[in-house]
Amino acid sequence: MEGIRHKSIDVSGISMHVAEKGPEDGPAILFVHGFPELWYSWRHQILSLSARGYRCIAPDMRGYGDTTAPPSVSSYTIFHLIGDLIELLDSLSLPQVFVVGHDWGAIIAWQLCMLRPDRVKALVNLSVAFRPRNPAVKTVDYFRSLYGDNYYVCRFQEYGVVDEELASMDLKVLFTNIMTKRGQGQGGTVSFSKASLETSKEPTLLPSWLSEEDIEYFASKFKKSGFTGGLNYYRCLNLNWELTAPWTGAQINVPTKYIVGEFDITYHYPGIQDYIHKGGLKSHVPLLEEAVVIKGAGHFIQQEKAKEISDHIYEFIKMF
């Protein structure tokens, strides 16, 4: 991680930790992480793309790592999250950037492109495909109807319970199990419960793409911050559904590349593969150039297939 610059920037009344590498006059890439992650999830892309002349910017999002975690659940709406990023770009005097998102970061990036397409040159989104707002059913209610109350999105709604459950675990075991878990079949089996995650107290043999140092970094940061900030993103899902009613039916009009792992649980939701590959996604994202499935890859694709993802990003954004 040599040469990565770290600083804190005041945005939207909070202090945002930002990791950055690459020439300040180079074209800028904003990396947006998901749950339960940090700027560190983009370490490989930061090194690879900064070496190719890009200015790589990766914040710890609101509620994560070394960025402020406001106490109120309602401080984590999609407008807060997008507002943080817009103020970050303003503070860095960047009128327009490339955006790369993963997991919750992909959700935020889709909405950023919908609300402020003027700030985005092109988008590469990983894992979570864009799904249009359904005016007939709230987001959490939809997941509950599919999978029941034990589904992780539903379990996360009760403030404090899952927060304490996750924080009480051996965080090295927790992150090892989360990051190496493969998803096949229906995604509804995911509960994020202590029983399902803490499957063994013995050290797990790590895959080649994940080191003890990586696990230690994630564990140490979440031991300090806790999980409440990240969980509050889920607790705002129904509120976001209400707030984004004016954009029902709106399209994403930014040049886009979408990438997902073959064994990512988000690629196994009911109907999602037909939606992605048979025109549904393209109808809502008209400038979608390509939808790529990475064979053998799971959810944490930018870490597991680091070089492949870095190359995909580069090959796409170099066109603009």
Side-chain angles (χ1 to χ4, degrees):
M1 299 300 104
E2 289 184 12
I4 295 180
R5 305 182 294 274
H6 294 269
K7 57 187 172 184
S8 293
I9 297 175
D10 291 334
V11 299
S12 306
I14 66 170
S15 176
M16 175 171 267
H17 167 246
V18 181
E20 184 177 350
K21 185 175 173 64
E24 292 200 3
D25 60 351
I29 308 172
L30 175 66
F31 293 94
V32 191
H33 70 76
F35 175 88
E37 299 184 82
L38 300 163
W39 75 269
Y40 189 81
S41 301
W42 301 108
R43 59 198 178 280
H44 303 297
Q45 287 70 43
I46 291 171
L47 297 178
S48 174
L49 292 160
S50 65
R52 303 187 211 198
Y54 290 89
R55 181 182 182 183
C56 298
I57 301 159
D60 281 337
M61 295 295 288
R62 172 182 291 241
Y64 283 92
D66 295 318
T67 292
T68 303
S72 171
V73 172
S74 61
S75 295
Y76 293 83
T77 72
I78 196 67
F79 293 137
H80 288 89
L81 306 177
I82 292 173
D84 292 345
L85 296 180
I86 293 296
E87 288 204 15
L88 172 61
L89 298 183
D90 288 347
S91 71
L92 298 174
S93 300
L94 293 171
Q96 204 172 46
V97 294
F98 296 108
V99 176
V100 181
H102 172 256
D103 185 78
W104 251 103
I107 296 172
I108 296 164
W110 290 124
Q111 297 294 321
L112 171 64
C113 290
M114 180 183 289
L115 300 179
R116 292 301 305 269
D118 57 306
R119 305 302 296 266
V120 185
K121 291 181 185 177
L123 170 69
V124 179
N125 249 353
L126 314 179
S127 181
V128 180
F130 175 73
R131 298 301 295 265
R133 179 184 182 275
N134 182 350
V137 60
K138 293 182 178 182
T139 308
V140 178
D141 299 348
Y142 169 74
F143 282 115
R144 184 174 282 114
S145 71
L146 281 180
Y147 301 127
D149 291 334
N150 199 44
Y151 185 57
Y152 76 98
V153 172
C154 305
R155 291 187 72 245
F156 286 1
Q157 298 305 309
E158 188 174 357
Y159 188 90
V161 176
V162 178
D163 318 47
E164 294 176 7
E165 189 174 281
L166 294 177
S168 71
M169 290 181 60
D170 181 327
L171 295 189
K172 289 185 180 181
V173 172
L174 172 69
F175 279 98
T176 298
N177 288 335
I178 287 174
M179 299 183 76
T180 58
K181 189 177 182 64
R182 316 299 272 183
Q184 298 186 57
Q186 298 299 321
T189 59
V190 179
S191 68
F192 255 94
S193 68
K194 186 172 183 177
S196 68
L197 287 170
E198 200 169 35
T199 55
S200 174
K201 291 289 186 181
E202 299 299 320
T204 303
L205 181 64
L206 294 176
S208 60
W209 56 270
L210 194 62
S211 71
E212 291 285 354
E213 182 183 21
D214 298 332
I215 294 295
E216 173 62 32
Y217 188 88
F218 284 108
S220 65
K221 289 300 181 181
F222 278 87
K223 183 176 182 180
K224 177 183 175 184
S225 70
F227 291 84
T228 299
L231 292 169
N232 284 342
Y233 287 45
Y234 293 90
R235 292 169 183 145
C236 282
L237 281 170
N238 279 353
L239 178 56
N240 289 339
W241 179 87
E242 296 176 12
L243 294 173
T244 56
W247 290 272
T248 301
Q251 294 180 321
I252 307 295
N253 286 299
V254 169
T256 300
K257 184 174 194 172
Y258 169 73
I259 308 172
V260 65
E262 178 185 12
F263 300 126
D264 190 325
I265 62 166
T266 68
Y267 192 56
H268 294 273
Y269 289 136
I272 192 70
Q273 294 181 25
D274 282 349
Y275 170 76
I276 291 169
H277 300 297
K278 295 184 178 180
L281 181 59
K282 176 77 170 177
S283 70
H284 299 294
V285 189
L287 301 182
L288 177 70
E289 296 287 336
E290 191 178 9
V292 178
V293 180
I294 304 295
K295 296 296 183 183
H299 179 67
F300 296 94
I301 192 170
Q302 77 273 43
Q303 299 178 71
E304 182 179 352
K305 301 289 185 180
K307 183 181 186 305
E308 194 170 349
I309 294 302
S310 297
D311 289 346
H312 270 295
I313 295 168
Y314 173 70
E315 291 300 327
F316 184 62
I317 67 175
K318 74 176 185 180
M319 299 189 295
F320 300 94

